[in-house]
Amino acid sequence: MTKTLLALSAAALCFTMPVLAAAQVPGGVYKYPAQAEADAALEFDRAAWDFVEGVTTEVGPRQAGTEAEARGRDWAVKWLKARGFQNVADEPFMMDTWVPGDTHKAEITSPFPQPFVIQPLGGSASTGPDGIEAEVVMFKTVADLNAAPAGSLEGKIAYISHSMTPTQDGSQYGFAGPARWVGAGIAKNKGAIATVIKSVGTDYHRNPHTGGTTFRNADGSTDVGRVVPTPAGALSLPDAANLERMFERAGDRPITMKLVLTPERLGMTQSGNVVGEIVGTNPDLPPVLLACHLDSWWNSPGAFDDGAGCGIAAAAALNVQKHGQPLRTIRVLFAGAEEVGLFGSTAYSEAHIDEPIGVAYESDFGADRIWRFESNFRDTNPDLHAELAASVARFGVADSTIVARGGADINIARDQKTAIIDLQQDGTRYFDLHHTPDDTLDKIDPVQLRQNVAVWTQITGILANYEGSIQGD
Amino acid sequence: MTKTLLALSAAALCFTMPVLAAAQVPGGVYKYPAQAEADAALEFDRAAWDFVEGVTTEVGPRQAGTEAEARGRDWAVKWLKARGFQNVADEPFMMDTWVPGDTHKAEITSPFPQPFVIQPLGGSASTGPDGIEAEVVMFKTVADLNAAPAGSLEGKIAYISHSMTPTQDGSQYGFAGPARWVGAGIAKNKGAIATVIKSVGTDYHRNPHTGGTTFRNADGSTDVGRVVPTPAGALSLPDAANLERMFERAGDRPITMKLVLTPERLGMTQSGNVVGEIVGTNPDLPPVLLACHLDSWWNSPGAFDDGAGCGIAAAAALNVQKHGQPLRTIRVLFAGAEEVGLFGSTAYSEAHIDEPIGVAYESDFGADRIWRFESNFRDTNPDLHAELAASVARFGVADSTIVARGGADINIARDQKTAIIDLQQDGTRYFDLHHTPDDTLDKIDPVQLRQNVAVWTQITGILANYEGSIQGD
């Protein structure tokens, strides 16, 4: 125990000491472009907080394709212009829009009548205002659901559980996520008239985790015009636990649930990507692209997901500008309609595929500390990779051999097969908040937010002033 | 830092060591009645958990005066009978019943349109299904509201804030509580058409804290038939923080809110008190009364408040019985309709005022560790007080000179001016959960719950076998 505690104390010291050391490198010369600005950001940055406080307070929830998302874009355009970004634009695109509707109710009607807290999954059909009532069949895992015989869920409501653990790297999202991503579609193809899932999350609050679910045709296609979805919702984790206890206590008695979910499809509506630039001294060099997404689910003002990410990206660009006009243009991309299917990322890549970018990275995993640096050019440009990794070591960021794949909104970088960086954030509490009403400003730790800005400032300072090919080819 | 950590380590050791020691006192003889049963409860009690798991799973929310509360009483009667309690009864009384209705919505309509999470306060009027919309006037404290000129809130919605800190003894409830208890009534008398408050709580989740509010006539009376209430609701703490940020950002622009709350009054309906006994060998001696309340607010299954309390009381009675038939009768009182105005406590005292009880105590502050022992007979029966305090020292419970006043449901003890004990629970996280949808089974720590049962078993073991006057008069 003592050993552990001493290690913790040492870690606490290490977190502050390098900051002091970095302020004065040997010879009094800063080693990296924007090094002083990155150090200052760690202590004093206000821009990222101002962005996320502003967008959550003055706009609130920003469901993709709705007027609320449009208000968010207008707000972001004004914010970027007010802070001196150039070439600020709202680049529109059309999307097939789903909205959650007004009524979200679930109740057990027998043998233990009581209300549950539920929210619809993105893409859910409506039960109609009168709702539906049916027996619930429980599956502990998606594998169990897959093993159910064809037709065995005829007229039933499927309930799909999972067992998700908090992980620093968020990897259990891949383990537990299928309950939401594909569970309802599988259940429907076995005859289920609706699906409820245990929220894909790691908290214990009566706030369900929504998120998209995908229904497929018999041929595996998912186009909305042809697929007929069923109602699908997520129970809060305490309600899911209660339902599972009911199965233990009900014996042979069937458990019946009444479900009222009234989502709607609005057809094609407008969304958009907001962009802005710090223009570089050499516009011929491919820009550095800093991405995030501006939309949120309807049920929260989207602080962790992803107002913080846009604040971090914008603040880093502004900090690098303080160091002096960069060599390359720094472009921020606040993507629209990420949550509901990456429509913004797709639209941005389609619109700009012929404009090569130099490197792209995205912040979309909350606002807790960055702990790991990854790139996809460690092999092709090892010197730059090593320099970047070394430059953020003082902020507690470790190097990694993992090949960066990039966030959801930098499809263009994958499509152009260009350089990508991942600045991995600590996701330990991310899935306590992800897609829940609880994703509010108070969840953001200003100290950790500033560490993000410091790391992004340092990385961007180096890349925006790098003359050669970032990928090294 | 090290000193603190060493102290913590020592505390951790101390928590387990006395348990081992208590199993074998010098000479192999147990000093206190039910001492072995109390020690066993600390390790193995299942009854309290079974009660609270059962009532939250098989019944769920138990709003006073409704059929759900009646189902709760039926369930509790069966549970007590199944475990061998005698003279189990559901003692009915009539009450004026308020229910929350179906629609609970608040949204800012200008200048920063977005929805908020709200729940009505007990006693709130309805806005009607179409709701009301008005400018919001903010008061940081009830004192500020009191200072507002007469008529100054005409046509407005009052918003009342406070600043509550978690406290182990729960004392900040008295500090922050008036925002809920009397705020809406004061605002109404200054012309407000509705009141919203910052939830009286210490968490940061989108789950409002409901609870009763009282409107008064000009003469100070509060009888429901004459007082005309206004709509009144509690915002979740993150929403309240958001509203307060809006006031900082709105400048001269008025902030307007639309409110839809549809509570109803059902008139007189039936509630009841559930009682059961472990009959003593000397029925002439006044019984020991162990109390809790069975009702909950509509928005949660009432695990912490107060399913756990009923489980603790019942489990202690059963454990003392294992030691052998006690001298005095042990009576458990699961009171009805506590939350909405202590109707059950009042009815019980009225019905039984002529049947002297020997001593009463109640569990109604969650399920975290008991840390302090208080009685109201330290001066009149110092030997018994000292023996009781000494008997639970091994469970980490400190003696106190504070005079016990008793919980809400033991009005009868105050009315009879008899002996009262308070076994104070750690309330540090109580107001994270109090009156919110989050008051669910998963919040109960089984280890701390068993410590409660152990302490109650020990105290009850001594008192139920005490021959003299407990008060010492």
Side-chain angles (χ1 to χ4, degrees):
Chain A
M1 191 178 189
T2 307
K3 198 172 175 185
T4 308
L5 292 167
L6 283 173
L8 281 171
S9 304
L13 288 171
C14 289
F15 177 43
T16 51
M17 281 173 67
V19 180
L20 299 173
Q24 290 183 304
V25 295
V29 178
Y30 291 108
K31 186 170 178 184
Y32 307 113
Q35 182 171 347
E37 288 73 18
D39 287 345
L42 187 70
E43 299 291 331
F44 305 114
D45 184 76
R46 287 285 306 162
W49 183 271
D50 181 70
F51 184 93
V52 66
E53 177 183 321
V55 78
T56 56
T57 305
E58 298 192 11
V59 183
R62 304 172 297 282
Q63 178 74 27
T66 70
E67 66 76 35
E69 193 199 27
R71 273 192 287 114
R73 287 197 302 281
D74 291 346
W75 187 93
V77 163
K78 279 186 197 142
W79 191 93
L80 288 169
K81 284 183 176 172
R83 275 148 196 84
F85 279 84
Q86 297 155 276
N87 303 326
V88 176
D90 178 358
E91 302 183 344
F93 58 85
M94 299 301 287
M95 60 175 286
D96 188 62
T97 295
W98 173 97
V99 289
D102 271 345
T103 308
H104 308 152
K105 288 186 179 176
E107 62 176 308
I108 298 300
T109 49
S110 179
F112 307 129
Q114 62 176 295
F116 280 170
V117 179
I118 195 167
Q119 292 198 345
L121 299 183
S124 166
S126 174
T127 62
D130 296 333
I132 56 176
E133 184 173 354
E135 183 181 348
V136 183
V137 181
M138 175 165 68
F139 298 96
K140 286 281 193 182
T141 65
V142 171
D144 292 341
L145 173 64
N146 271 319
S152 63
L153 296 178
E154 210 64 51
K156 303 292 201 326
I157 296 173
Y159 166 71
I160 311 170
S161 188
H162 63 80
S163 185
M164 183 176 182
T165 299
T167 47
Q168 186 171 12
D169 65 1
S171 55
Q172 281 231 344
Y173 190 41
F175 168 66
R180 192 193 85 217
W181 303 334
V182 298
I186 298 168
K188 178 211 158 194
N189 291 339
K190 293 174 187 286
I193 59 170
T195 295
V196 295
I197 66 165
K198 178 180 176 177
S199 278
V200 174
T202 52
D203 66 296
Y204 289 93
H205 298 285
R206 298 292 286 293
N207 286 316
H209 297 241
T210 190
T213 192
T214 304
F215 295 87
R216 287 176 190 279
N217 296 307
D219 63 4
S221 67
T222 59
D223 51 307
V224 169
R226 291 171 52 212
V227 179
V228 180
T230 62
L235 297 174
S236 83
L237 288 144
D239 289 292
N242 200 348
L243 178 57
E244 295 183 27
R245 287 193 301 273
M246 288 182 180
F247 275 97
E248 289 171 12
R249 286 173 171 261
D252 294 334
R253 292 172 287 179
I255 293 176
T256 56
M257 177 183 281
K258 180 166 182 193
L259 206 54
V260 193
L261 298 170
T262 59
E264 292 172 59
R265 286 218 163 260
L266 302 185
M268 299 302 283
T269 69
Q270 187 170 294
S271 180
N273 292 316
V274 171
V275 294
E277 292 184 338
I278 305 294
V279 174
T281 54
N282 184 350
D284 292 336
L285 284 172
V288 177
L289 184 68
L290 313 189
C292 62
H293 67 85
L294 194 57
D295 65 308
S296 74
W297 288 101
W298 79 92
N299 62 4
S300 89
F304 236 49
D305 185 12
D306 183 27
C310 293
I312 291 163
L318 291 169
N319 288 332
V320 172
Q321 187 181 37
K322 284 182 204 162
H323 175 67
Q325 188 181 8
L327 181 65
R328 294 173 190 260
T329 292
I330 303 169
R331 182 178 297 162
V332 296
L333 164 60
F334 298 173
E338 188 267 355
E339 296 291 6
V340 292
L342 319 190
F343 293 120
S345 184
T346 303
Y348 186 83
S349 185
E350 281 175 5
H352 298 276
I353 192 70
D354 295 330
E355 306 158 27
I357 56 166
V359 60
Y361 35 108
E362 174 166 359
S363 178
D364 184 19
F365 200 49
D368 283 346
R369 290 172 57 78
I370 295 171
W371 62 291
R372 198 168 67 189
F373 169 79
E374 303 162 9
S375 85
N376 69 348
F377 50 82
R378 186 186 177 99
D379 292 336
T380 54
N381 194 348
D383 289 348
L384 179 59
H385 177 101
E387 182 181 358
L388 291 164
S391 76
V392 293
R394 69 189 189 280
F395 300 122
V397 181
D399 191 7
S400 166
T401 57
I402 294 171
V403 177
R405 301 180 57 184
D409 290 306
I410 55 172
N411 269 355
I412 190 166
R414 284 180 292 270
D415 293 343
Q416 291 184 351
K417 300 190 195 313
T418 190
I420 291 173
I421 284 169
D422 282 333
L423 296 167
Q424 297 290 3
Q425 294 167 291
D426 188 333
T428 309
R429 66 187 184 120
Y430 187 71
F431 290 102
D432 290 355
L433 305 170
H434 182 244
H435 297 181
T436 77
D438 263 344
D439 181 3
T440 49
L441 183 67
D442 50 281
K443 306 309 183 301
I444 295 180
D445 172 0
V447 173
Q448 296 195 69
L449 180 69
R450 289 200 302 268
Q451 188 261 10
N452 276 264
V453 177
V455 172
W456 274 62
T457 298
Q458 183 58 84
I459 294 291
T460 307
I462 294 172
L463 290 169
N465 291 289
Y466 189 77
E467 290 188 35
S469 159
I470 291 170
Q471 255 184 317
D473 50 14
Chain B
M1 190 179 191
T2 308
K3 198 171 174 186
T4 307
L5 292 167
L6 283 172
L8 281 171
S9 303
L13 288 170
C14 289
F15 178 43
T16 50
M17 283 173 63
V19 180
L20 300 173
Q24 290 183 306
V25 294
V29 178
Y30 292 108
K31 185 171 176 184
Y32 307 113
Q35 183 171 347
E37 288 73 17
D39 287 345
L42 187 69
E43 300 290 332
F44 306 115
D45 183 77
R46 286 285 306 162
W49 183 271
D50 182 70
F51 184 92
V52 67
E53 177 182 321
V55 78
T56 55
T57 306
E58 299 192 11
V59 183
R62 305 172 296 283
Q63 178 74 28
T66 70
E67 66 78 32
E69 193 198 27
R71 275 191 286 114
R73 289 198 300 283
D74 292 347
W75 187 93
V77 163
K78 280 186 196 141
W79 190 95
L80 289 168
K81 284 183 176 172
R83 275 147 195 86
F85 279 84
Q86 298 154 275
N87 303 324
V88 176
D90 177 359
E91 301 182 347
F93 56 86
M94 298 302 286
M95 61 175 284
D96 187 62
T97 294
W98 173 96
V99 289
D102 271 345
T103 307
H104 307 152
K105 289 186 179 176
E107 61 176 310
I108 298 300
T109 50
S110 178
F112 307 129
Q114 62 176 291
F116 280 170
V117 179
I118 195 166
Q119 292 198 344
L121 299 183
S124 166
S126 174
T127 61
D130 296 332
I132 57 175
E133 185 172 355
E135 182 182 349
V136 183
V137 181
M138 175 164 69
F139 298 96
K140 286 280 192 182
T141 65
V142 171
D144 293 339
L145 174 64
N146 270 320
S152 63
L153 296 178
E154 209 66 48
K156 303 291 197 334
I157 296 174
Y159 166 71
I160 311 169
S161 188
H162 62 81
S163 186
M164 184 176 181
T165 300
T167 46
Q168 186 171 13
D169 65 1
S171 54
Q172 281 232 343
Y173 190 41
F175 167 66
R180 191 193 85 218
W181 303 334
V182 299
I186 297 169
K188 178 210 157 193
N189 290 340
K190 293 176 188 285
I193 59 171
T195 296
V196 295
I197 66 166
K198 178 179 177 177
S199 279
V200 174
T202 51
D203 66 297
Y204 290 90
H205 296 285
R206 298 291 287 292
N207 287 315
H209 297 241
T210 190
T213 192
T214 304
F215 295 87
R216 287 178 188 278
N217 296 306
D219 63 3
S221 67
T222 59
D223 52 306
V224 169
R226 291 172 52 212
V227 179
V228 180
T230 62
L235 296 175
S236 84
L237 288 144
D239 289 292
N242 200 349
L243 178 57
E244 295 183 28
R245 286 194 302 271
M246 287 181 182
F247 275 97
E248 289 170 13
R249 286 173 170 260
D252 293 336
R253 292 171 289 180
I255 293 175
T256 56
M257 177 183 281
K258 182 169 182 193
L259 206 55
V260 193
L261 298 170
T262 59
E264 292 172 59
R265 287 218 163 260
L266 302 185
M268 299 302 283
T269 69
Q270 188 171 294
S271 180
N273 292 316
V274 171
V275 295
E277 292 184 338
I278 305 295
V279 175
T281 55
N282 184 351
D284 293 336
L285 285 172
V288 178
L289 184 67
L290 313 188
C292 61
H293 67 87
L294 194 57
D295 66 309
S296 74
W297 289 101
W298 80 92
N299 63 3
S300 88
F304 236 49
D305 184 13
D306 183 29
C310 293
I312 291 163
L318 290 169
N319 287 333
V320 173
Q321 188 182 36
K322 285 182 202 162
H323 175 68
Q325 188 181 8
L327 182 65
R328 294 172 191 258
T329 292
I330 304 168
R331 182 178 300 163
V332 295
L333 164 60
F334 298 172
E338 187 267 354
E339 296 291 6
V340 291
L342 320 189
F343 293 121
S345 184
T346 303
Y348 186 83
S349 185
E350 281 175 6
H352 297 276
I353 192 69
D354 295 331
E355 306 158 27
I357 56 166
V359 60
Y361 34 109
E362 174 165 1
S363 178
D364 184 18
F365 200 49
D368 283 346
R369 290 172 58 77
I370 294 171
W371 62 290
R372 196 167 69 189
F373 169 79
E374 302 163 10
S375 86
N376 68 349
F377 50 83
R378 185 186 175 101
D379 292 337
T380 55
N381 194 347
D383 290 349
L384 179 57
H385 177 102
E387 182 181 0
L388 290 164
S391 77
V392 292
R394 71 188 190 281
F395 301 121
V397 182
D399 192 6
S400 166
T401 59
I402 294 170
V403 177
R405 301 180 58 182
D409 290 305
I410 56 172
N411 269 354
I412 191 166
R414 284 180 291 269
D415 293 343
Q416 291 184 353
K417 302 190 194 313
T418 190
I420 290 173
I421 285 170
D422 282 332
L423 297 167
Q424 297 291 4
Q425 295 167 288
D426 187 334
T428 308
R429 66 186 184 120
Y430 187 71
F431 291 102
D432 290 354
L433 305 170
H434 182 242
H435 297 182
T436 76
D438 262 344
D439 182 4
T440 49
L441 183 67
D442 49 282
K443 306 310 183 300
I444 296 179
D445 171 359
V447 173
Q448 296 195 68
L449 180 69
R450 290 200 302 268
Q451 188 260 12
N452 276 264
V453 177
V455 172
W456 275 64
T457 298
Q458 183 58 84
I459 294 291
T460 307
I462 293 171
L463 290 168
N465 290 288
Y466 189 77
E467 290 188 35
S469 159
I470 291 168
Q471 256 183 316
D473 49 17

